[in-house]
Amino acid sequence: MMKSKADEEDYWNSSKFKAFTFDDEDDEFTKKQEVEPQLPHRVFPASCFLFPAGISWSVRETASSLREQSFPKIDTTPSLPKNSSGYSLSSLFKGKEGEREMMDCAAVSLEKFRSLQEKLLLLDEAVGVHDGNVITAVLIYLKKSLSKEVLFRELESRQTALRHFIHYLTESKEQRLLLELYRALGRTEDEALLQYKEHLRITDENKRRDFLKSCVSLPFSPEDAGHVQDHYTLLERQIIIEATDRQAETGGKVEIFQKFPRRASILNMPLITTLYYCCFYHYAETEGTYSSPANIRQTFRIAEKQYFVTALAARAKLKAWHDVDALFTSRNWLGFTRKKSPLSFSRVADILSKNNAPVQVLQEYVGLVDDVELRVALAQKYKCHFIVISTYRDLKDRQLLLGYRGKVERGSEEERKIDELLSNPQIRWKN
């Protein structure tokens, strides 16, 4: 049964759908502010809507301005189908006179748009202006004057307005209403992600873990579902490691915790930070333990290169050079060993140097750099003199070797080695 014009207006302006205000008692997301002294009312032309040109009107400023502004009352109720009064929605947005007025005035009351048809046409006109401030202001009014069900239904067919509304709700942190919107639109993945983000508000690690566990069953995309599962698994493991290590540190019987006290809790740390921590404090543990680096690598499918550089940095920090050497040692099926690395050896040398590795350690890896010029440059940088000497010998460059003799310490082992090579009759120098 069709409603008359009067019935429709009574419906949309009934007590259930209050006029636009930010201090409604049923708005649990908006905190009431202290009442500021009211400025004298200003009367603006009916077509005024925007702040003056050049002033940025953010979402929060929009809300605040519309909340604090006292709008003039309009004596006549506008009716879109009828234009006898000369008033129309287009006059708010179109025409040179309307544009001038929009530039010169601060705001206009939107309460004159009472019927659903008027409000939707107002929204469509706002979208047509291509001004986000206008669209947002209209959406704020519709949010207060329409039921959620009607607003969500109408926004579904107005994608531009919908995007602005989602952005507004996100900025104003109206999580519950945004969840309802996603649910109404059938956007299950967006709804799941929004719920997942709620973990950021939970400070207690056990409650956060339980919340993440509840998120695992939400309808994420396959990729996001994997990330959420990993997040839950990681925090669960961090809680166990933290409790065990805190007890060991307090007990004072585990040498590494006494020699290198922990600087911070491992809780809520990123995955790679957790791996570094375990490579530092639990490197030798068997794969069956939660804190074993090998276990973490397997559980979270960490790439070889990422694992390698993290383990190298942790063991180098501890000056555990035997562990560093073992990382590079590879044995073939004949039993022969050689050094192999997923990183360039120049990068390896850089990491070791930053951890104050001695020359005896550095030169092993600088000597494995394939590019001759880079090898010599790195050897000179890190004072790996024997690498420079052996490289010039292999190049059979007597002049370079003679020149380098003046750069080493007099009477040093390096100088004696250079003299030995220069006097060796079996070397056929090229110059």
Side-chain angles (χ1 to χ4, degrees):
M1 180 177 178
M2 297 296 291
K3 292 183 179 180
S4 66
K5 176 72 175 180
D7 290 338
E8 187 179 47
E9 290 183 1
D10 289 339
Y11 176 77
W12 293 111
N13 290 279
S14 65
S15 60
K16 182 178 180 181
F17 306 103
K18 297 180 181 179
F20 164 48
T21 169
F22 269 78
D23 291 327
D24 288 348
E25 293 179 359
D26 58 348
D27 188 353
E28 62 186 276
F29 295 100
T30 305
K31 292 184 178 179
K32 293 186 177 181
Q33 305 293 328
E34 292 184 3
V35 179
E36 298 180 358
Q38 291 294 315
L39 297 176
H41 289 185
R42 289 181 58 195
V43 179
F44 302 104
S47 58
C48 290
F49 195 83
L50 295 173
F51 278 151
I55 295 180
S56 174
W57 201 11
S58 71
V59 170
R60 291 185 180 87
E61 289 168 340
T62 301
S64 178
S65 298
L66 290 176
R67 178 185 60 198
E68 296 172 0
Q69 179 66 46
S70 295
F71 296 109
K73 292 185 178 180
I74 306 298
D75 295 332
T76 58
T77 302
S79 177
L80 288 176
K82 299 177 182 180
N83 199 26
S84 58
S85 64
Y87 176 86
S88 70
L89 279 172
S90 297
S91 68
L92 287 176
F93 305 103
K94 298 179 181 178
K96 293 183 178 179
E97 185 65 22
E99 290 176 2
R100 186 187 63 78
E101 290 175 341
M102 284 194 296
M103 305 292 281
D104 294 339
C105 61
V108 69
S109 172
L110 298 180
E111 295 178 20
K112 64 176 69 66
F113 302 99
R114 303 178 66 185
S115 72
L116 176 59
Q117 182 184 11
E118 287 175 333
K119 292 171 182 177
L120 295 179
L121 285 175
L122 175 65
L123 178 59
D124 293 338
E125 290 281 0
V127 171
V129 173
H130 304 293
D131 188 313
N133 298 329
V134 177
I135 297 170
T136 301
V138 172
L139 286 169
I140 291 173
Y141 172 59
L142 298 186
K143 171 178 173 284
K144 292 296 181 179
S145 62
L146 295 178
S147 69
K148 289 181 292 188
E149 295 76 15
V150 172
L151 179 59
F152 295 168
R153 182 192 70 206
E154 297 300 336
L155 286 177
E156 187 171 12
S157 61
R158 294 170 171 82
Q159 290 300 306
T160 299
L162 177 61
R163 287 194 297 272
H164 280 273
F165 192 56
I166 290 173
H167 181 70
Y168 163 71
L169 294 179
T170 302
E171 278 204 0
S172 57
K173 302 187 185 305
E174 297 193 53
Q175 303 290 89
R176 186 172 301 178
L177 186 58
L178 188 53
L179 276 173
E180 292 182 43
L181 174 61
Y182 284 146
R183 194 173 296 123
L185 297 176
R187 293 171 59 164
T188 55
E189 290 183 13
D190 289 325
E191 180 188 351
L193 285 172
L194 187 61
Q195 286 183 259
Y196 166 70
K197 289 179 182 178
E198 285 294 305
H199 80 269
L200 296 171
R201 300 178 180 221
I202 304 173
T203 56
D204 180 83
E205 63 269 14
N206 290 301
K207 291 181 180 179
R208 179 180 282 199
R209 176 201 58 202
D210 295 341
F211 178 82
L212 289 172
K213 184 177 182 180
S214 71
C215 289
V216 171
S217 59
L218 294 176
F220 294 101
S221 66
E223 182 179 5
D224 288 337
H227 292 321
V228 174
Q229 177 66 62
D230 283 347
H231 190 175
Y232 161 67
T233 303
L234 178 63
L235 180 56
E236 182 182 43
R237 181 166 300 204
Q238 287 173 340
I239 291 173
I240 296 172
I241 295 172
E242 175 67 21
T244 302
D245 288 1
R246 188 187 297 125
Q247 184 177 6
E249 188 174 35
T250 304
K253 296 182 179 179
V254 180
E255 181 182 357
I256 192 168
F257 290 120
Q258 301 306 306
K259 192 174 181 180
F260 301 97
R262 301 187 313 149
R263 295 183 178 181
S265 167
I266 195 178
L267 295 174
N268 300 308
M269 291 295 178
L271 173 59
I272 298 306
T273 304
T274 304
L275 175 62
Y276 179 92
Y277 175 96
C278 291
C279 286
F280 194 95
Y281 288 107
H282 302 281
Y283 192 68
E285 290 185 6
T286 60
E287 193 171 336
T289 62
Y290 277 140
S291 50
S292 161
N295 189 304
I296 291 176
R297 177 185 182 182
Q298 181 180 13
T299 301
F300 297 100
R301 307 167 301 282
I302 298 175
E304 178 190 14
K305 189 173 183 179
Q306 182 68 73
Y307 175 82
F308 189 91
V309 71
T310 306
L312 174 62
R315 303 317 292 170
K317 186 74 174 177
L318 281 169
K319 309 293 187 289
W321 307 123
H322 177 76
D323 292 338
V324 169
D325 183 72
L327 277 170
F328 296 93
T329 303
S330 174
R331 189 181 299 274
N332 64 18
W333 63 280
L334 292 174
F336 295 105
T337 61
R338 65 187 182 94
K339 281 188 167 48
K340 181 181 177 183
S341 170
L343 298 176
S344 67
F345 283 107
S346 60
R347 174 69 177 131
V348 170
D350 179 62
I351 293 173
L352 294 177
S353 173
K354 288 179 178 177
N355 285 282
N356 301 313
V359 172
Q360 292 82 355
V361 173
L362 275 171
Q363 65 185 9
E364 287 190 51
Y365 303 98
V366 172
L368 294 172
V369 175
D370 290 328
D371 184 90
V372 174
E373 291 185 5
L374 178 59
R375 186 196 316 151
V376 171
L378 290 173
Q380 292 179 344
K381 177 181 178 181
Y382 301 131
K383 302 187 184 305
C384 299
H385 299 302
F386 283 109
I387 297 298
V388 179
I389 294 168
S390 62
T391 300
Y392 288 163
R393 178 202 61 197
D394 295 340
L395 292 173
K396 295 181 171 55
D397 197 317
R398 183 183 179 87
Q399 295 304 315
L400 288 177
L401 196 57
L402 277 170
Y404 197 70
R405 186 178 186 276
K407 297 180 181 180
V408 300
E409 186 178 349
R410 296 191 64 179
S412 65
E413 187 177 350
E414 290 86 357
E415 187 184 55
R416 288 194 295 272
K417 181 64 176 179
I418 292 174
D419 290 340
E420 179 185 324
L421 291 173
L422 291 174
S423 61
N424 189 340
Q426 294 182 349
I427 300 177
R428 295 185 177 182
W429 302 102
K430 68 178 182 181
N431 53 26

